[in-house]
Amino acid sequence: MKVVITEFMDTDALTGFSAGIDVRYAPELVEDRAALLAAASGAEALIVRNRTQVDAELLAAAPGLRVVGRLGVGLDNIDMAGCAARGIAVYPATGANTRSVAEYVIGTAFSLSRGAYAATPGMIAGDWPRGTLGQGGEIAGRSLGLLGFGAIAQAVAGLAAPLGLRVMAADPHLPPDHPAWRDVQRLARETLLRKADILSLHVPLTPETAGLLDAAALAKLKPGAILINTSRGGIVDEDALCNALRAGHLGGAALDVFAAEPLDANAGARFADVPNLILTPHIAGVTAEANVRVSRITVENVDRALTEPVA
């Protein structure tokens, strides 16, 4: 049995595979499509992150594929229908990076609200911007809006409430009687957009959510509101967001995900000179601790799928 791993993971977790399983750890394959297709030809299992496109072409190149392990939770890079049609099991590492994403949301909310932490270069050059940087705000007493209220958003809510944030959420797919709503105000999406001082996105990329935060939706946000996106690129209209930040309608934004990943110089140019903006390379859920958990859970899932007898 052969496992091909196409992106980085905690290599210590590889010792968790059963004897007799041939493991090829080749994170460079994500950068070389031809080599990836060739490597997949003899694979019974693939382990991927978000950049490896497990599409029809890759599935066709892997006739013996039985299982896909996802080092994370998003599945939009995997042809789920194609896998289902062939009986290929897909295992995300559910819950393994929840804490990391939740801490990222709270951390960027602090930073963007205070607006003081990019002063180091200017201060080294002799600036002393005490007057302007002393105008930053506290997050206590602000309204945190969570668009989507699954496990990660619920973890954010759990961290936010003790800090004095008023937590509200919108999620039509979570039943009104679900216990997660007990300490969170349940709102319709349009109402959430109007009321949130800080809006954090926690929805998958689907035809319904693509472009959801366009210019019209951003205009509905409160003046000075902060937007945080750790879900998926393509949900936020990046040009419209930059315009809203430059115009001063929004007070700040953090983007960990982008419509085109990795972000190249051409795509990145739109963000030049945009105020109070944090950009990170899809790492909200990638910490040292989360990488260990994600890798261990994924190895366990794939090993079990390969070694347990079929019922």
Side-chain angles (χ1 to χ4, degrees):
M1 291 178 282
K2 182 179 180 181
V3 178
V4 175
I5 302 166
T6 69
E7 297 183 63
F8 74 91
M9 63 180 291
D10 176 41
T11 55
D12 288 344
L14 299 178
T15 61
F17 279 112
S18 298
I21 294 181
D22 176 20
V23 179
R24 180 182 176 188
Y25 178 62
E28 70 279 1
L29 288 175
V30 71
E31 307 290 351
D32 188 337
R33 184 69 175 181
L36 171 62
L37 296 175
S41 63
E44 291 187 51
L46 291 175
I47 292 179
V48 305
R49 283 190 183 269
N50 63 295
R51 290 183 58 205
T52 303
Q53 298 301 310
V54 186
D55 52 18
E57 182 186 40
L58 183 53
L59 293 176
L65 191 63
R66 296 166 51 193
V67 58
V68 177
R70 170 70 169 88
L71 293 159
V73 294
L75 300 174
D76 48 290
N77 61 311
I78 299 174
D79 181 352
M80 296 298 291
C83 288
R86 283 187 34 194
I88 298 169
V90 178
Y91 292 104
T94 304
N97 62 0
T98 296
R99 177 76 186 199
S100 297
V101 179
E103 288 191 4
Y104 177 100
V105 172
I106 297 299
T108 53
F110 269 120
S111 180
L112 292 165
S113 297
R114 194 65 182 263
Y117 304 117
T120 301
M123 291 191 65
I124 291 171
D127 293 340
W128 190 254
R130 193 166 186 262
T132 55
L133 296 188
Q135 302 302 309
E138 301 172 354
I139 65 171
R142 298 194 186 193
S143 297
L144 172 64
L146 302 170
L147 186 55
F149 199 48
I152 292 176
Q154 291 169 30
V156 173
L159 294 178
L163 296 171
L165 284 154
R166 298 190 303 272
V167 184
M168 54 188 67
D171 191 330
H173 304 293
L174 193 66
D177 59 351
H178 194 284
W181 293 115
R182 183 179 57 193
D183 299 316
V184 174
Q185 186 180 10
R186 182 172 176 266
L187 298 175
R189 184 177 73 200
E190 295 299 308
T191 306
L192 185 77
L193 295 181
R194 293 196 304 270
K195 288 192 170 186
D197 297 307
I198 303 166
L199 180 66
S200 183
L201 306 184
H202 299 276
V203 295
L205 180 62
T206 67
E208 291 73 30
T209 63
L212 185 65
L213 270 292
D214 58 10
L218 293 172
K220 295 175 183 177
L221 296 177
K222 282 184 176 182
I226 287 167
L227 176 66
I228 302 169
N229 187 14
T230 58
S231 53
R232 281 294 179 269
I235 295 170
V236 176
D237 182 326
E238 294 168 0
D239 288 325
L241 174 63
C242 292
N243 290 338
L245 288 164
R246 289 192 180 101
H249 174 63
L250 296 185
L255 298 180
D256 185 54
V257 289
F258 304 89
E261 295 185 10
L263 195 68
D264 61 21
N266 288 331
R270 61 168 55 90
F271 300 108
D273 302 320
V274 174
N276 208 22
L277 175 65
I278 295 172
L279 303 180
T280 51
H282 206 140
I283 47 79
V286 184
T287 58
E289 296 86 352
N291 191 38
V292 169
R293 292 191 298 267
V294 164
S295 300
R296 176 179 53 79
I297 289 172
T298 303
V299 167
E300 290 173 356
N301 287 338
V302 171
D303 185 79
R304 184 171 57 251
L306 292 176
T307 59
E308 286 190 351
V310 178

